[in-house]
Amino acid sequence: MSKAKILIIEDDKEISRLTAMYLEAEGYSTHIIADGAKAKTTVHHEQPDFIILDLMLPGLDGVSVCKQLRQFYQHPILVLTACSDDISEVSLLKLGADDYLTKPVRPHVLLARIENLLRRYQFTAQDSKQLQVGQLKIDTNKQQVSCNGLIPALTTAEYEMLLLLATHAGKIVSREDCCRALRGINYDFNDRSVDMRISGLRKKLNDDALPYQTILTIRNKGYMLSNG
């Protein structure tokens, strides 16, 4: 029985073929497209559980594809990129990617990232608690957030970051704890990855101007969701 349906958006035929072959050997079903312009229609039609997205695509580049998909697609998106510098990482987090890997991709690392992201998504999808902190409401059945009448479209990583802060409302959550919750205890993390997701959350919650009212920065300690 297939574990999950994975859409591979990659124009390199050999890379996509080998990736699909490896994932199918691990029990996943796959679908491949090579043109970024077909991504939106394909996602609506195929309803994948996970997307592997290359940045360099014909028709529509990966950055534009990710932005387009994030208007309606809430499942994990893993980006493949040839760049590994900090600027690329910041850009990827801003556009809505849940995680990224630099090429050439090692199959066992790709599989580990996919499994980790799917576990996180499935765990939050099964959680039936309703959380409310001040004007912030989290419906964990629908994985939907509302704040002061706004219903922001959050990525899986942003949603889980907010859920972590909400379950510890009024208490400081360290950057280390944020990263462990998002990427696993043994992941080699850095502060910028967490900070960028916090920045994205603030923007979507309409709280990106100082002084912050919802997600507070506690200097040299971490972040705290205000319960006031």
Side-chain angles (χ1 to χ4, degrees):
M1 183 177 179
S2 177
K3 297 179 184 177
K5 182 188 293 184
I6 298 179
L7 175 63
I8 302 169
I9 309 176
E10 167 66 72
D11 67 322
D12 187 309
K13 292 183 180 179
E14 186 65 6
I15 290 177
S16 60
R17 183 185 72 83
L18 291 174
T19 301
M21 185 172 65
Y22 181 77
L23 293 176
E24 286 172 7
E26 294 294 330
Y28 294 97
S29 64
T30 64
H31 183 85
I32 299 170
I33 61 172
D35 189 338
K38 298 179 181 178
K40 185 176 180 180
T41 300
T42 303
V43 170
H44 278 302
H45 182 263
E46 296 290 330
Q47 295 292 305
D49 302 299
F50 194 98
I51 292 176
I52 298 174
L53 173 64
D54 185 34
L55 286 187
M56 301 300 292
L57 294 167
L60 193 67
D61 65 85
V63 170
S64 300
V65 169
C66 196
K67 288 180 179 178
Q68 189 181 75
L69 294 182
R70 277 310 182 204
Q71 295 175 12
F72 66 93
Y73 184 78
Q74 300 301 320
H75 291 257
I77 296 177
L78 174 65
V79 165
L80 303 184
T81 175
C83 301
S84 59
D85 55 66
D86 287 342
I87 294 177
S88 295
E89 180 176 3
V90 169
S91 299
L92 292 171
L93 297 178
K94 281 185 175 180
L95 67 90
D98 290 291
D99 205 346
Y100 75 98
L101 283 172
T102 55
K103 294 181 176 181
V105 176
R106 290 172 292 172
H108 69 283
V109 175
L110 173 65
L111 182 63
R113 296 290 182 87
I114 290 172
E115 291 177 343
N116 184 48
L117 287 171
L118 285 173
R119 277 196 302 269
R120 285 166 35 197
Y121 182 85
Q122 290 163 1
F123 175 79
T124 54
Q126 292 168 1
D127 192 347
S128 61
K129 292 187 295 184
Q130 301 283 325
L131 293 178
Q132 180 165 356
V133 181
Q135 295 299 310
L136 178 71
K137 298 179 182 179
I138 302 178
D139 183 335
T140 56
N141 281 325
K142 299 178 180 178
Q143 294 192 51
Q144 187 178 81
V145 173
S146 63
C147 185
N148 292 315
L150 298 173
I151 302 179
L154 305 183
T155 68
T156 302
E158 289 170 341
Y159 172 81
E160 291 195 358
M161 178 75 79
L162 187 59
L163 185 61
L164 174 65
L165 293 173
T167 55
H168 296 82
K171 299 178 181 178
I172 299 171
V173 179
S174 70
R175 288 184 175 85
E176 290 84 353
D177 287 341
C178 287
C179 196
R180 289 191 184 102
L182 294 178
R183 289 189 170 182
I185 244 175
N186 296 319
Y187 193 89
D188 183 17
F189 67 93
N190 61 65
D191 285 353
R192 179 166 289 186
S193 298
V194 176
D195 293 344
M196 288 309 304
R197 287 190 167 97
I198 292 291
S199 177
L201 272 174
R202 283 173 171 158
K203 184 175 182 180
K204 292 181 179 180
L205 296 176
N206 199 26
D207 186 38
D208 55 344
L210 290 170
Y212 302 125
Q213 302 296 317
T214 305
I215 301 176
L216 311 180
T217 299
I218 311 301
R219 188 175 177 84
N220 297 324
K221 292 185 178 180
Y223 296 101
M224 180 174 69
L225 184 68
S226 174
N227 56 7

